[in-house]
Amino acid sequence: MRLPSLPRPRSLAGQLFAMQAVLIAVVVAGYALFTYVSDRRQAEDAAARQATAVARSIADSPAVRDAIRTPDPTALLEPYALKVTRDANVDFVTIMNPAGIRWTHPDRRQIGRRFLGTTAPARQGRTFTETYTGTLGPSVRAVTPVTDGGRIVGLVSAGITVDRISERLQDQVTALLGVAGGALLLGAVGTYVVNARLRRHTHNMNATELSRMHDYHQAALHAVREGLLMLDGRYRVALINDGGRELLGVGEDVVGRSVAGLGLPAPLTGALLSSHPRVDEVHLTASRVLVVNTSPVSGGEHRGTVVTLRDVTELQSLMGELDTERGFTQALRSQAHEAANRLHTVVSLIELGRAQEAVEFATAELELAQALTDQVVAAVSEPVLAALLLGKTSQANERGVELVVSSDSRLDDGLLPDELPARDLVTILGNLIDNAVDAARGSARARVTVTAYASAAELVLRVTDTGPGVDPGHADLVFQRGFSTKPAGPGGRGLGLALVRQAVTRHEGTLTVTGASPEGGAVFEVRLPLRPAPALAEGGAA
């Protein structure tokens, strides 16, 4: 049995439309009611003014005073009153004696009877108006005295019935209702158009769904470890999550600021300002290696950009160590191959009965290998750097480049502080040597010279080569990500020296390059400050 589905709550746009329609209807109805009441009051006031004017004009007429003096005032005043009633557009004109006995009336049967209404103020000489129910029904009437020689000789009352006033208001009310209906219709159409647009923007979701989507959005935004950055059409930060702030090294007040004003490296800023998508581009900040992806948000025009950031600093460092290990492996494989060749040579000499020559050959090879090891270890006894130099020496020899450690080198084991990890030293020295070997290949007497020594205040690493040198105009460009004077391979070039500068900057050191060394090539020199370990306080724990 299929259960009946509950009706879906009205969308936010629908709720707003209903609320606005009711609000407009209430406002229009209230305005119409207020206008009706106001117009009715104004109509009654106008009727009172009209009745007063008619009554005063009759009371001031000399013909009326002359007729009152006659023995039969009705004979003269009744036709006159009926004519004024028609001409002045009032419902009745009643002329009476000071006691209120009618001389005239639209209904001749009422002549001679007492006037129904208030007459006391008029008998005292004042003109007044009132709404009173007389023989013709409720009416707005004015009563004024007729004076002759300073004494009151009669009273005049002119009036307009309330029904007549209501008829006059009917046309105004009809027009008012038409205007109110038009305003309501126009407001409803405008509200529908606005809310139709709102429905498109809210995807016809109701308030509960929008609130739930906002909660999901906030939870997802802060849960994502990768950096997420959203830029508006003017390349200002519209949204950034916690991961993005951490990876870019920006503060909490970054929202609303232009990307160009965040102080990011120029290549990274250029990637964020680009209108074209970027896919898995590697960029360096002061302390991180980031993979950047950008995707423009378009809808007929550029509306913004979505940027994702992934931190591959540790991965890049591990890849560097992996490359070093691979180099060691290749060097060992090459040395094993050469050792096998030499062993075969020794065996062959023995088989030929030339044992003395076999001993001399084997001794010479052993002394050569031991001399290289002794030279490196004697100069640099720090184990990680010594292993790196031995491996790079074998790699350089395979590529036809001689790598030597200068006699000025002196780096004892245990001298380097814990704040200067071996991983960063491998990154710095390994990339400098690789760059120097690439530069020296093909040159006459291809050679790379490494100098490493430490003083009380700093560690100095210097690498020179016999290559073509560095153009002085490129002295700063060589350290930027992507710059290289060599053709790019499948993985691109220009990352090694950029990683060197990043590591040096992280340890507050200096990195310089000289265009030409005494051997004809470039000189790269790194100086890293050494912070001595804090001394134990006197009397403290040992």
Side-chain angles (χ1 to χ4, degrees), residues 64-145:
V64 171
R65 286 194 293 270
D66 292 341
I68 292 175
R69 296 190 193 105
T70 63
D72 187 10
T74 299
L76 297 175
L77 293 177
E78 176 68 7
Y80 175 75
L82 293 177
K83 185 176 184 303
V84 172
T85 299
R86 292 192 301 269
D87 295 343
N89 196 25
V90 293
D91 290 320
F92 68 89
V93 172
T94 299
I95 305 174
M96 66 200 87
N97 63 21
I101 303 302
R102 301 186 186 99
W103 286 327
T104 67
H105 194 276
D107 184 1
R108 294 187 64 84
R109 293 174 298 178
Q110 303 297 329
I111 296 176
R113 296 182 179 181
R114 183 172 295 279
F115 176 75
L116 299 180
T118 305
T119 59
R123 289 199 300 267
Q124 296 174 2
R126 292 189 295 109
T127 300
F128 72 97
T129 61
E130 67 173 349
T131 300
Y132 195 85
T133 301
T135 58
L136 300 179
S139 62
V140 176
R141 60 183 64 181
V143 182
T144 187

Side-chain angles (χ1 to χ4, degrees), residues 297-477:
V297 179
S298 301
E301 59 181 6
H302 180 71
R303 295 184 178 180
T305 307
V306 177
V307 182
T308 59
L309 308 169
R310 283 184 289 129
D311 186 8
V312 294
T313 306
E314 295 295 327
L315 178 61
Q316 192 67 44
S317 179
L318 292 175
M319 289 177 62
E321 293 184 8
L322 179 60
D323 289 340
T324 301
E325 296 297 332
R326 286 175 177 172
F328 293 161
T329 303
Q330 292 176 359
L332 290 175
R333 184 182 299 112
S334 176
Q335 291 178 3
H337 181 72
E338 291 299 320
N341 290 335
R342 296 185 183 98
L343 181 60
H344 287 307
T345 302
V346 172
V347 172
S348 297
L349 288 173
I350 292 175
E351 290 178 346
L352 294 175
R354 308 178 72 170
Q356 183 61 33
E357 294 180 11
V359 172
E360 293 176 356
F361 179 80
T363 302
E365 291 296 327
L366 180 61
E367 290 177 351
L368 180 61
Q370 188 62 42
L372 175 61
T373 302
D374 292 343
Q375 178 190 6
V376 172
V377 173
V380 180
S381 59
E382 206 286 326
V384 175
L385 291 184
L388 175 67
L389 290 173
L390 288 174
K392 293 298 183 182
T393 300
S394 300
Q395 288 182 359
N397 288 335
E398 290 180 4
R399 302 174 66 180
V401 178
E402 180 185 7
L403 190 150
V404 298
V405 178
S406 70
S407 58
D408 297 334
S409 299
R410 186 66 185 176
L411 194 59
D412 296 332
D413 186 16
L415 181 62
L416 301 181
D418 296 336
E419 292 78 9
L420 191 60
R423 174 179 296 180
D424 288 345
L425 293 179
V426 170
T427 297
I428 296 172
L429 191 56
N431 281 291
L432 289 179
I433 292 175
D434 289 340
N435 182 77
V437 170
D438 286 340
R441 288 182 62 187
S443 64
R445 295 184 298 107
R447 177 185 298 176
V448 172
T449 303
V450 178
T451 303
Y453 63 89
S455 64
E458 63 181 1
L459 169 66
V460 179
L461 302 175
R462 186 183 303 115
V463 178
T464 63
D465 60 70
T466 58
V470 176
D471 187 341
H474 296 162
D476 186 64
L477 294 177

